[in-house]
Amino acid sequence: MEEVRLMKGNEAIAHAAIRYGADGYFGYPITPQSEILETLEAEKPWETTGMVVLQAESEVAAINMVYGGAGTGKRVMTSSSSPGISLKLEGISYIAGADLPCLLINVMRGGPGLGTIQPSQADYFQTVKGGGHGDYRLITLAPSSVQEMADFVVLGFDLAFKYLNPAMILADGMIGQLMEKVILPPFRPRLTDAEIISRYPWAATGKTADRERNVITSLELNPEIMERKNLRFQEKFRAIEAAEVRYEEYLCNDADYILVAFGSSARICQKAIETARANGLKLGMLRPITLWPFPTNAIVNLVERGVKGMLSVELNAGQMVEDVRLAVNGRIKVEHFGRLGGIVFTPDEIVNAVKEKLL
């Protein structure tokens, strides 16, 4: 049954994973997402659901444990923060190249390098443009509340297994550390080995009575076969783009100008819109929930409705703004506003940016 609790975003991810029936978590501590691992260790799900929780010796080890678990059809996951995700990118690329499902969580901090432990949204490029090497994509969900941190564990796993592709929850330090009420999902049982073999005939579960062993790899030395494999990937990505775009519109119907923002930035934009409208400036907001697939058509529709300009509001130097500009295709003015180094902007700064850049 559903249960209402007060907790941090990071804690909500841990509790949702246990309730989802996840088989394993493999991670390594790094601020500001360490509570995910700490909560899982405190809850001891191995004693109740049988979920494995392991702190690996490094981020590289953790993602390769996920690779192995995913290859057996298990519901496995990992979490980290910006530089830790950078270390995992080779393994993430391998998982994508092997057609395997898993859940990844990045609670972003400021960079580049070790940077700062303060909130940032500077991993947008790293995530939605592939990250590691090769022509692959990560299904990317951007929560803006503690409730969505919990909900997107369920959605992320479901999408990963639907398309046999890694899914990423791309949050930031503010959402990870934010404390709110959350409705936790009901418990669902972990799949038995027999259920895994029945549902996922691709899984490497050993030789069975009715089939030979499955061999899972991202390596293919024959270029013609590798091209066919990549073309199949592109077909899958087009199917995801056609079916899985998610976004939210806020006061867009009569807006003259649109803010485009995700995660914690979207929360601040809501207050900025209230302030602006109280002073006669009609702002609205488009909040991408899936950063990939990106809500391109929703932006096109807003342009066709007659909005005069858009401001991409991000805690970075300007990353998502490129996808907004591609969608707009030069028909209206698109500008970026952000803060760097872990500094979080205020609603008044956003309103002033609209006046300076768009009016």
Side-chain angles (χ1 to χ4, degrees), residues 144-341:
S144 67
S145 66
V146 175
Q147 184 64 59
E148 287 188 337
M149 291 284 261
D151 293 345
F152 289 176
V153 169
V154 177
L155 178 59
F157 265 125
D158 286 349
L159 291 174
F161 274 86
K162 180 178 180 180
Y163 294 103
L164 300 184
N165 200 79
M168 171 78 83
I169 296 175
L170 189 65
D172 60 67
M174 186 183 303
I175 302 298
Q177 297 297 319
L178 183 69
M179 183 171 281
E180 291 180 321
K181 287 195 300 183
V182 56
I183 300 174
L184 293 172
F187 281 95
R188 66 171 79 179
R190 291 174 54 228
L191 297 181
T192 65
D193 289 344
E195 288 172 326
I196 289 174
I197 291 172
S198 174
R199 292 190 189 189
Y200 311 131
W202 47 265
T205 54
K207 185 177 180 180
T208 66
D210 57 349
R211 68 164 174 79
E212 293 296 316
R213 296 180 180 88
N214 286 332
V215 177
I216 294 176
T217 180
S218 64
L219 177 67
E220 176 52 63
L221 299 181
N222 184 315
E224 287 79 13
I225 296 175
M226 193 65 197
E227 183 180 47
R228 290 197 295 271
K229 185 176 181 178
N230 270 278
L231 290 173
R232 178 173 56 76
F233 287 160
Q234 299 311 308
E235 290 178 5
K236 174 171 70 175
F237 301 148
R238 285 191 289 271
I240 297 171
E241 287 179 312
E244 305 299 346
V245 173
R246 289 168 169 80
Y247 62 92
E248 177 185 40
E249 290 189 3
Y250 180 72
L251 298 180
C252 288
N253 287 338
D254 66 340
D256 292 323
Y257 298 93
I258 298 294
L259 307 177
V260 185
F262 67 94
S264 58
S265 295
R267 296 173 68 104
I268 303 171
C269 282
Q270 286 188 336
K271 182 61 178 178
I273 290 168
E274 294 173 10
T275 300
R277 283 180 172 262
N279 290 280
L281 178 57
K282 291 183 178 179
L283 296 184
M285 178 177 67
L286 178 80
R287 176 173 77 95
I289 295 173
T290 50
L291 298 180
W292 190 85
F294 191 70
T296 299
N297 289 337
I299 291 176
V300 171
N301 290 338
L302 288 170
V303 174
E304 292 176 348
R305 284 188 217 169
V307 300
K308 300 175 182 177
M310 293 187 179
L311 185 71
S312 186
V313 183
E314 314 167 57
L315 290 172
N316 57 40
Q319 297 189 18
M320 183 178 66
V321 65
E322 295 192 6
D323 286 328
V324 178
R325 285 177 173 143
L326 285 171
V328 167
N329 198 22
R331 286 178 287 180
I332 60 173
K333 191 174 185 180
V334 176
E335 297 290 349
H336 167 265
F337 172 70
R339 296 295 302 269
L340 305 171

Side-chain angles (χ1 to χ4, degrees), residues 13-30:
I13 283 178
H15 283 278
I18 295 170
R19 288 166 171 262
Y20 182 82
D23 295 292
Y25 169 94
F26 309 98
Y28 191 79
I30 179 174

